[in-house]
């Protein structure tokens, strides 16, 4: 059976509309946590993990807030790590008073000339731990801030452990 040109145009428009809906779904911000439900199709994406939401700049989940509150109540401070493509930053935070007790980064003049690799990250962890110990902090918990515990992030943790912080 032959299809008229008007019908083929309508079919092409329908397919392009579906493609646009799919593109909008993929471009939707992940901080929403859920995918978009359309009336014509029930397109549902799976729940996005909370660590990836934090890494993308979203809000903390209730579970993560409770964990941070429990750790702060136990007297543990948070060793928080952030990494960019060029630098890495580590800071020890008191979650009860919301103060930064100690910090170190690869931007500092002593480490600025070093290449951005695991050895530099280890030095950053050691510097953060030394500065925290000067303030009397020894018990911390490691907040990887949504990054995988691998490579440079793990090197910061190893450096902090070597310098004497207890995780």
């Amino acid at each position: 059976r032959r299809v008229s040109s008007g019908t083929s145009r309508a079919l092409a428009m329908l397919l392009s509309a579906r493609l646009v809906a799919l593109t909008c779904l993929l471009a939707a911000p992940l901080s929403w946590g859920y995918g978009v439900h359309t009336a014509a199709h029930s397109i549902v994406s799976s729940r996005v993990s909370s660590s990836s939401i934090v890494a993308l700049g979203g809000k903390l989940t209730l579970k993560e807030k409770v964990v941070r509150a429990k750790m702060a109540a136990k007297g543990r401070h948070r060793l928080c790590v952030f990494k960019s493509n060029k630098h890495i930053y580590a800071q020890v935070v008191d979650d009860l008073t919301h103060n930064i007790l100690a910090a170190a980064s690869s931007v500092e003049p002593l480490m600025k000339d070093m290449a951005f690799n695991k050895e530099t990250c280890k030095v950053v962890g050691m510097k953060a731990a030394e500065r925290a110990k000067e303030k009397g902090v020894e018990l911390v918990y490691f907040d990887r801030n949504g990054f995988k515990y691998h490579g440079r992030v793990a090197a910061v943790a190893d450096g902090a452990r070597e310098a004497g912080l207890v995780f």
Side-chain angles (χ1 to χ4, degrees):
R1 194 165 130 193
R2 187 169 175 146
V3 179
S4 68
S5 63
T7 308
S8 63
R9 268 193 219 125
L11 183 62
M13 288 176 60
L14 179 64
L15 288 175
S16 67
R18 287 185 181 176
L19 184 61
V20 168
L22 184 59
T23 305
C24 290
L25 171 68
L26 295 176
L30 292 178
S31 61
W32 291 346
Y34 293 97
V36 177
H37 295 280
T38 61
H41 319 314
S42 187
I43 303 172
V44 182
S45 71
S46 62
R47 176 97 168 107
V48 178
S49 70
S50 59
S51 60
S52 63
I53 290 173
V54 173
L56 293 171
K59 294 183 178 181
L60 292 174
T61 63
L62 179 62
K63 181 178 178 182
E64 289 167 337
K65 287 180 183 179
V66 168
V67 167
R68 285 187 180 181
K70 282 182 183 178
M71 290 299 214
K74 287 182 182 178
R76 288 188 178 248
H77 300 291
R78 178 167 45 110
L79 175 60
C80 184
V81 174
F82 175 77
K83 70 173 184 170
S84 67
N85 289 336
K86 292 185 178 182
H87 298 287
I88 194 151
Y89 308 86
Q91 56 189 10
V92 178
V93 181
D94 183 3
D95 285 323
L96 292 177
T97 61
H98 304 291
N99 290 333
I100 297 172
L101 304 174
S105 70
S106 60
V107 180
E108 295 176 3
L110 296 174
M111 293 175 267
K112 196 159 189 155
D113 296 333
M114 299 173 74
F116 182 53
N117 53 22
K118 285 195 226 178
E119 287 78 26
T120 305
C121 296
K122 198 169 197 174
V123 171
V124 168
M126 292 173 98
K127 286 284 185 192
E130 289 169 5
R131 292 173 184 167
K133 288 188 78 163
E134 288 173 4
K135 300 268 179 122
V137 176
E138 290 198 16
L139 288 175
V140 296
Y141 71 97
F142 191 69
D143 179 12
R144 54 188 177 81
N145 209 8
F147 299 105
K148 288 184 180 178
Y149 187 80
H150 181 280
R152 295 175 180 154
V153 174
V156 171
D158 293 340
R161 278 192 195 99
E162 285 181 16
L165 285 183
V166 178
F167 289 28

